[in-house]
Amino acid sequence: MSSTPSVTRSPTPHGRFNSVAIGLHWLLALALVAVFGVGLYMNGLPFSPQKLKLINWHKWAGVTILLLSVLRLLWRWTHRPPPLSPRAEAAMPGWQRWAHHAVQALMYGLFLAVPLLGWAYSSAAGFPIVWFGVMPLPDLLPVDKALADTIKPWHGWAAFTLAALVVVHVAAVVKHQWIDRDGLLSRMWPGG
């Protein structure tokens, strides 16, 4: 009588996101940090070929972030987030749960609004976007310099608001990981 060896697999941690959600989260996080850093850097540069190159890269990255954000939002709508562990639930009073949902909703909205405002500004300023130098994208608005001057600061304010919300998000993760020690970070950490 032969017995086949059994394979023991460790159970998935309670409340862990699936690999697609984790991949989209970290890809978007890295892209946002990069595009925000480039945006800050290029604004301080004098007009030059280098600045023009960075502006184009910034636009390409913005459109890519917009597409990733739409994909992430569609995934989120079609795949319910896993429940929090009882330990994480216990560490979050009601106001923190409310703040968590509010910050998350605002971040999702700004994931879409920031690149759309940048695209609208670029269109109104008369600078079309050719995604990765290959694919011309339609203008969102007709050329209107006054409108472009109105939209440009909104793009910046929205980007800084998103950056502030990312800092709040990271601070909450740090609190849960090192103060509450409730394992919340393991829900979204690559590789478990």
Side-chain angles (χ1 to χ4, degrees), residues 52 81 128:
L52 289 175

Side-chain angles (χ1 to χ4, degrees), residues 57-77:
W57 184 90
H58 185 79
K59 290 179 187 183
W60 301 341
V63 170
T64 303
I65 286 170
L66 179 62
L67 293 173
L68 284 172
S69 298
V70 168
L71 181 60
R72 186 168 181 209
L73 195 55
L74 289 172
W75 186 264
R76 179 68 182 260
W77 279 338

Side-chain angles (χ1 to χ4, degrees), residues 152-177:
K152 186 176 182 179
W154 282 96
H155 175 63
W157 295 331
F160 276 101
T161 302
L162 179 55
L165 290 172
V166 167
V167 169
V168 169
H169 177 70
V170 170
V173 169
V174 167
K175 175 206 176 276
H176 280 278
Q177 184 65 22

Side-chain angles (χ1 to χ4, degrees), residues 93-112:
W95 73 267
Q96 283 184 11
R97 279 191 213 101
W98 178 89
H100 161 75
H101 292 296
V103 167
Q104 191 170 49
L106 287 169
M107 286 174 63
Y108 272 106
L110 288 169
F111 290 161
L112 303 174

Side-chain angles (χ1 to χ4, degrees), residues 73-150:
L73 195 55
L74 289 172
W75 186 264
R76 179 68 182 260
W77 279 338
T78 58
H79 296 81
R80 186 180 180 106
L84 291 172
S85 69
R87 191 170 176 189
E89 281 279 345
M92 290 179 72
W95 73 267
Q96 283 184 11
R97 279 191 213 101
W98 178 89
H100 161 75
H101 292 296
V103 167
Q104 191 170 49
L106 287 169
M107 286 174 63
Y108 272 106
L110 288 169
F111 290 161
L112 303 174
V114 173
L116 285 172
L117 285 166
W119 190 349
Y121 162 71
S122 191
S123 297
F127 302 117
I129 297 174
V130 181
W131 196 32
F132 294 107
V134 180
M135 184 178 176
L137 299 179
D139 288 329
L140 294 182
L141 298 170
V143 175
D144 182 335
K145 299 294 184 190
L147 181 58
D149 290 341
T150 301

